[in-house]
Amino acid sequence: MDLAFMEEERTFRDEVRQLLRDNIPLETRRKLVEGRQLSKAEIAVGMRVLHKRGVPGWPKEYGGAGWSPIQQYIFEEEVQAFPAQMTFGFGASLVGPVIYTFGSEIQKNRFLPRIVNAEDWWCQGFSEPGAGSDLASIKTRAVQDGDHYVVNGQKTWTTGAQHADWIFCLVRTNTSVKKQEGISFLLIDMNTPGLVIRPVKLIDGSYEVNEVFFTDVRVPVVNLVGEENKGWTYAKFLLGNERFGDAGVGPTKERIQRAKDLAAQCYVGGSWLIDQTAFREKVAAIEVELKAIEITQLRAVFNASRRQDGSQDPAGSVLKLKGSEIEQAAALLLMDVIGPYSLREYSEQPTDSADQRLVRPDGARLAAPIYFFSRAATIYSGSSEIQKNIIARAILGL
Ligand SMILES: Cc1cc2nc3c(=O)[nH]c(=O)nc-3n(C[C@H](O)[C@H](O)[C@H](O)COP(=O)(O)OP(=O)(O)OC[C@H]3O[C@@H](n4cnc5c(N)ncnc54)[C@H](O)[C@@H]3O)c2cc1C
């Protein structure tokens, strides 16, 4: 089933396509197609293009695009399809909305324009050893000393901390109340003395996550967001936004298409893989699931456009749960198709060899890293089990 947009939505889509074609550097696009990493400078340039008409999802007064949820959806879809998907840390997507919703005027003036212009890279300091799913158990302590908080403790799994200028942290400011009621939300300059980053190497070979240690780190009290001990409310708001953006339909579509293109180049067991029934059944099963999640996402977008109270849709958990599972299925499909071609006996370029089947299809080497990284999709932004708990409570009323 093809879903049709209204005339003005189609016009908007054409404008977005034009914006990307005219402004995203060719080299950036090529690297994204090939699954190669962009430099921080390339990402900043790309982010400025994506923010040219304002930050999607933000209100106009803070430098946002002021778009409807449907326009945002179309924008995201085009960005993923181009592809021009990039994130300059977690500024625009996560901490920005917290600052303009709960922050002080000083914080709004200081931080929001720098996020819009991709000048500050932010990272997320929520998880700790012993506090992931059970986030309210965080132990990193902030004790007020005059006009500063003194922070001691450790964060873990901090994505992009090595590039970040700022980290937004959940810290414990009261130990004698219920754990959710003693948490505050602090903005911390990564260059503050006493803050140390240690890299964590992932199984796909990438260096993306870190441990972050705080020893007597002094943070001005003006960097407290909202009220002291109300950080859990702001964290829940932030996590709801994070899950809503996590269905990953665009990248999964691209991955399935790539698996199909590659299957057309793979000759196995006497026929082209793309023509084999077992392979076609596998692809169809994933595509049906993907279409279902796409429709669910559109339904959530439509509901969001009618939602006036700013409350969050628990459908975000359904999108995260199913989206991450389908992402993994697509990564496995890609691995099934070209995994064997990553072996050394396959050459990158066509040779004079009589057996052309020994030529490595484009991108074969990337299949394993993509597969390994996809294993994390059902863990980060709240694991699948946690999403099921939320769905049971908020949707099924159990
Ligand atoms: C690649 C990657 C990047 C990340 N980036 C960041 C980041 O930038 N910033 C940040 O703060 N965090 C980040 N995280 C951390 C992520 O949010 C946590 O890993 C996640 O919340 C799970 O927490 P945990 O690792 O402590 O596992 P645990 O909470 O210890 O869970 C272990 C297992 O037990 C299950 N489980 C736990 N509680 C329940 C329950 N109540 N009911 C049923 N099952 C349960 C979980 O589903 C899981 O399978 C990242 C993680 C990864 C893998």
Side-chain angles (χ1 to χ4, degrees), residues 90 124 126-127 132-133 157-159 209 379-380 383 385-386 389:
F90 296 126
Q124 179 183 22
F126 277 19
S127 306
S133 303
W157 299 117
T158 320
T159 303
V209 295
I379 302 172
Y380 56 67
S383 70
E385 289 76 11
I386 295 305
N389 286 347

Side-chain angles (χ1 to χ4, degrees), residues 173-226:
T173 35
N174 191 339
T175 50
S176 54
V177 288
K178 201 174 143 209
K179 57 187 181 181
Q180 286 83 355
E181 290 165 9
I183 293 173
S184 297
F185 196 110
L186 267 191
L187 310 176
I188 305 179
D189 184 337
M190 292 295 281
N191 289 315
T192 317
L195 188 156
V196 173
I197 302 169
R198 208 157 64 193
V200 177
K201 197 165 178 191
L202 296 181
I203 193 172
D204 66 339
S206 69
Y207 165 29
E208 172 160 334
V209 295
N210 303 270
E211 295 177 293
V212 181
F213 299 89
F214 302 83
T215 309
D216 293 333
V217 172
R218 294 183 71 81
V219 182
V221 170
V222 288
N223 289 1
L224 172 77
V225 173

Side-chain angles (χ1 to χ4, degrees), residues 20 24-39 42-43 45-47 50 78-87 251 254-255 258 363 366 370:
L20 299 175
I24 293 289
L26 270 180
E27 175 64 4
T28 300
R29 187 181 187 182
R30 198 163 57 82
K31 281 189 173 175
L32 287 169
V33 168
E34 291 168 4
R36 291 195 286 136
Q37 283 200 323
L38 299 176
S39 69
E42 286 170 320
I43 296 175
V45 169
M47 282 311 282
L50 300 189
E78 291 306 319
V79 165
Q80 289 174 354
F82 189 72
Q85 183 75 32
M86 52 198 88
T87 166
E254 191 274 331
R255 203 165 279 169
R258 187 131 53 98
L366 291 173
I370 288 173

Side-chain angles (χ1 to χ4, degrees), residues 55-109:
V55 182
W58 286 26
K60 269 200 156 124
E61 56 185 306
Y62 301 120
W67 290 333
S68 69
I70 294 175
Q71 285 175 308
Q72 271 176 64
Y73 175 83
I74 292 172
F75 181 82
E76 298 284 327
E77 214 186 18
E78 291 306 319
V79 165
Q80 289 174 354
F82 189 72
Q85 183 75 32
M86 52 198 88
T87 166
F88 198 65
F90 296 126
S93 54
L94 298 185
V95 77
V98 171
I99 293 175
Y100 66 65
T101 308
F102 303 106
S104 64
E105 286 309 309
I106 295 175
Q107 289 164 355
K108 289 178 197 171
N109 293 333

Side-chain angles (χ1 to χ4, degrees), residues 200-276:
V200 177
K201 197 165 178 191
L202 296 181
I203 193 172
D204 66 339
S206 69
Y207 165 29
E208 172 160 334
V209 295
N210 303 270
E211 295 177 293
V212 181
F213 299 89
F214 302 83
T215 309
D216 293 333
V217 172
R218 294 183 71 81
V219 182
V221 170
V222 288
N223 289 1
L224 172 77
V225 173
E227 288 178 51
E228 193 179 75
N229 297 321
K230 289 281 188 312
W232 189 243
T233 304
Y234 316 142
K236 279 194 297 186
F237 169 87
L238 181 147
L239 291 170
N241 289 338
E242 192 177 11
R243 277 163 205 153
F244 205 76
D246 258 340
V249 170
T252 301
K253 259 191 199 168
E254 191 274 331
R255 203 165 279 169
I256 296 171
Q257 187 54 49
R258 187 131 53 98
K260 286 200 252 182
D261 291 346
L262 289 163
Q265 301 173 45
C266 294
Y267 197 79
V268 219
S271 63
W272 296 101
L273 187 57
I274 189 74
D275 296 326
Q276 296 178 8

